[in-house]
Amino acid sequence: MSISVPDMTAVGGQPSIDARVDLAVFREQFYDCLTTRRDVLFELTDAVLCAGGAVRTLVELSLTLEHRRGHGALYDGINCGRIEVDRLRRTVTALPLPRCGDGAIVLAVDVSAWLRPDAPTSPQRSFCHVYGRGKGQAQLIPGWQYSFIAALEPGRTSWTAVLDAVRLHPDEDPTAVTAAQIRNVVDRLRAAGHHRDDDPDILLVFDAGYDLPRLAFALADQPVRILGRMRGDRVLCFPAPPPGRTGRPPRHGAQFHFADPTTWTPPATTTATVTDRYGTAVAEAWNRLHPRLTHRGVWAAHPGPPPIVEGTVIRLTVEHLPGDRHPAPVWLWCSDPTVGADHVDRLWQMFLRRFDLEHTFRMFKQTLGWTAPKIRSPEAADRWTWIVIVAHTQLRLARSLAEDLRRPWERPRPPGRLTPARVRRGFPHIHRTMPTPAGAPRPSRPGPGRPFGSKNTRRAPHHHVGKRDRTDVQEPAGVSRTG
């Protein structure tokens, strides 16, 4: 027996009638979201889609046939253009989304970094955690961090439907920003008709590093369920025992140490599934476990006693991993405190689908060139980020239209199962049949530029990394701060 991942289809259970019409309509709607330098931004998106290879620099995109303007107009559009991001978010959310077999929507939330270690003149950078190749080789590198939310598709695929991206400011609380971002995405899903009151709750899947109980408490009024991975050294508590005759009633029960099996009680549910990739997967679940919160840190200003956020803990073990690696148990926490045996397997299987978002990040960085440009201002970085998201969305809409232009060493794939890179390889043929709302460029001559021999007397200010710039201290003339 192999893993049976719930099937997902388009909205309403029916595929799109004409993908070509859907793609043309989305391109018109995207053009309407561009308010300043709209023609050059639209053609820049087409250049990203139709470039022959991976995007390495911005200036090379001005040499493509789809970009009919010069490189000066390209940089002017990135630096001084304007995109109505809220309207674009609603447009992307209104597109058909994949669903589970029971009609639920599964959203993956994760952070990806745009590293800028050698850009001291770029403001609002923070220290980004980057994993190394060896154990203990992780680093903190300055850059911009973006929080992405994407709808997951079924099975082993490299496709996701990216719905939103928010840049994390160094002075902001990442958990609060993520909770607000999720709340806005859920509101847009309900406004677009993707989720109704009688629909199943939206499943939010997280990797390690998120404060899952705090997110569950902040989103308690939303139709969502939280599922994420916890570290193997966490300690949770069982429900409090009945109060005694004297003394204060207890708020917490016995402790449950992930790393100490002697503190475990018999699991409420145990399931075993035979998989083709990992051997036998055993999932054990304990219900109604919660962390012990105190009036410290983010809960210091909480009125009254800290809340009790109960959930279900799932311990997943497999026989082997690909490459004969030693398997370690995976600990998951779900905000539903009463998960039954019929949903335990479903939860850990949907958690494995979260890693499809990593393929999207790799596509953004290695092929579409999300982190390739050397952009100074974070506002320009936001515009370029949304251009890459729109390009990826157009590839998703053109999946059924692209031909399999495979290399001689690549395996053929059936229609509808092409990877994003192969769809992009055939997108120039689709682009020739698409209407272009952008107007033709007007003839012009370049300006005189800076006079020969003159120097730049207005140096760009330097900014600290991960700290707010101090304005109460006046530095001596000729001294600049470094990152």
Side-chain angles (χ1 to χ4, degrees):
M1 185 179 69
S2 60
I3 292 180
S4 59
V5 179
D7 187 20
M8 300 182 187
T9 56
V11 176
Q14 297 294 332
S16 176
I17 299 177
D18 191 352
R20 194 177 301 275
V21 174
D22 294 342
L23 179 59
V25 171
F26 175 75
R27 289 168 58 87
E28 290 284 350
Q29 293 174 346
F30 168 59
Y31 185 76
D32 294 338
C33 296
L34 306 175
T35 56
T36 304
R37 274 73 170 182
R38 59 195 313 182
D39 292 336
V40 65
L41 291 177
F42 187 87
E43 292 186 356
L44 176 60
T45 308
D46 287 346
V48 173
L49 290 168
C50 300
V55 177
R56 302 301 180 189
T57 60
L58 278 179
V59 68
E60 292 181 352
L61 295 177
S62 64
L63 303 178
T64 60
L65 297 177
E66 291 73 19
H67 194 278
R68 299 175 293 177
R69 291 159 173 83
H71 63 278
L74 184 148
Y75 283 105
D76 185 58
I78 287 292
N79 295 323
C80 303
R82 183 184 176 187
I83 303 176
E84 292 187 10
V85 178
D86 292 338
R87 182 178 180 181
L88 183 56
R89 286 190 175 107
R90 293 191 297 268
T91 301
V92 173
T93 307
L95 297 175
L97 294 180
R99 292 177 179 267
C100 293
D102 59 351
I105 300 176
V106 182
L107 302 180
V109 185
D110 203 355
V111 174
S112 186
W114 183 343
L115 302 181
R116 296 304 309 277
D118 54 349
T121 59
S122 296
Q124 302 179 13
R125 293 181 303 159
S126 59
F127 288 103
C128 307
H129 184 271
V130 179
Y131 288 96
R133 292 184 177 272
K135 184 177 181 180
Q137 299 297 321
Q139 301 179 14
L140 293 176
I141 300 178
W144 293 311
Q145 297 187 80
Y146 282 84
S147 175
F148 289 87
I149 296 181
L152 299 181
E153 295 199 356
R156 297 172 59 183
T157 177
S158 55
W159 287 98
T160 60
V162 182
L163 302 180
D164 192 20
V166 173
R167 178 169 47 84
L168 302 179
H169 196 277
D171 298 329
E172 294 176 336
D173 184 3
T175 303
V177 174
T178 303
Q181 182 186 14
I182 294 173
R183 188 180 299 272
N184 294 332
V185 171
V186 172
D187 291 342
R188 289 195 295 269
L189 290 174
R190 304 185 71 173
H194 293 319
H195 188 274
R196 297 178 177 85
D197 295 337
D198 55 346
D199 291 342
D201 291 342
I202 300 174
L203 181 61
L204 301 172
V205 187
F206 300 84
D207 200 6
Y210 284 90
D211 192 348
L212 302 178
R214 186 184 172 197
L215 286 173
F217 177 78
L219 300 173
D221 59 334
Q222 297 293 318
V224 298
R225 286 189 301 167
I226 306 296
L227 175 65
R229 183 160 62 99
M230 283 188 169
R231 297 198 315 263
D233 58 351
R234 291 294 300 268
V235 178
L236 301 184
C237 298
F238 286 100
R245 295 183 178 180
T246 60
R248 177 182 298 179
R251 301 192 66 229
H252 311 284
Q255 292 185 347
F256 183 92
H257 294 253
F258 289 3
D260 187 3
T262 60
T263 62
W264 305 351
T265 61
T269 302
T270 302
T271 61
T273 306
V274 180
T275 67
D276 299 333
R277 190 175 178 85
Y278 309 105
T280 302
V282 179
E284 303 170 289
W286 291 267
N287 295 333
R288 306 186 68 85
L289 287 174
H290 65 274
R292 185 167 186 163
L293 305 177
T294 58
H295 278 103
R296 289 182 297 181
V298 296
W299 300 102
H302 183 77
I308 301 294
V309 185
E310 293 185 335
T312 299
V313 173
I314 301 175
R315 182 178 184 266
L316 176 64
T317 56
V318 297
E319 288 184 344
H320 56 81
L321 295 176
D324 296 333
R325 293 179 296 171
H326 179 69
V330 177
W331 293 92
L332 304 178
W333 187 87
C334 180
S335 59
D336 186 359
T338 59
V339 175
D342 53 340
H343 290 89
V344 171
D345 282 343
R346 185 190 191 90
L347 289 177
W348 69 260
Q349 290 174 18
M350 295 313 302
F351 172 77
L352 296 183
R353 297 273 63 82
R354 189 215 70 84
F355 293 95
D356 296 340
L357 187 57
E358 303 295 337
H359 296 285
T360 301
F361 291 155
R362 187 179 297 109
M363 180 69 182
F364 278 11
K365 295 181 179 181
Q366 297 183 1
T367 304
L368 301 182
W370 173 44
T371 59
K374 305 301 181 182
I375 296 176
R376 174 182 295 180
S377 66
E379 293 78 14
D382 295 343
R383 296 186 196 99
W384 174 247
T385 299
W386 276 103
I387 287 177
V388 173
I389 292 176
V390 170
H392 184 267
T393 303
Q394 293 190 47
L395 293 178
R396 181 166 57 91
L397 295 176
R399 292 167 63 178
S400 60
L401 305 175
E403 300 179 2
D404 188 8
L405 304 178
R406 64 184 182 91
R407 302 290 187 256
W409 55 84
E410 295 176 344
R411 296 180 181 180
R413 289 184 174 270
R417 297 293 299 175
L418 298 180
T419 62
R422 291 201 189 184
V423 174
R424 180 176 179 264
R425 194 179 299 166
F427 195 86
H429 302 281
I430 304 174
H431 180 266
R432 298 189 186 100
T433 63
M434 289 286 109
T436 302
R442 299 177 181 178
S444 61
R445 282 196 275 179
R450 186 185 302 168
F452 181 77
S454 62
K455 297 182 179 181
N456 184 13
T457 58
R458 302 176 61 181
R459 299 182 58 185
H462 287 209
H463 303 272
H464 290 285
V465 179
K467 297 180 180 179
R468 184 177 300 153
D469 290 339
R470 297 183 59 184
T471 58
D472 57 339
V473 178
Q474 185 175 4
E475 297 177 343
V479 178
S480 61
R481 295 187 295 268
T482 57

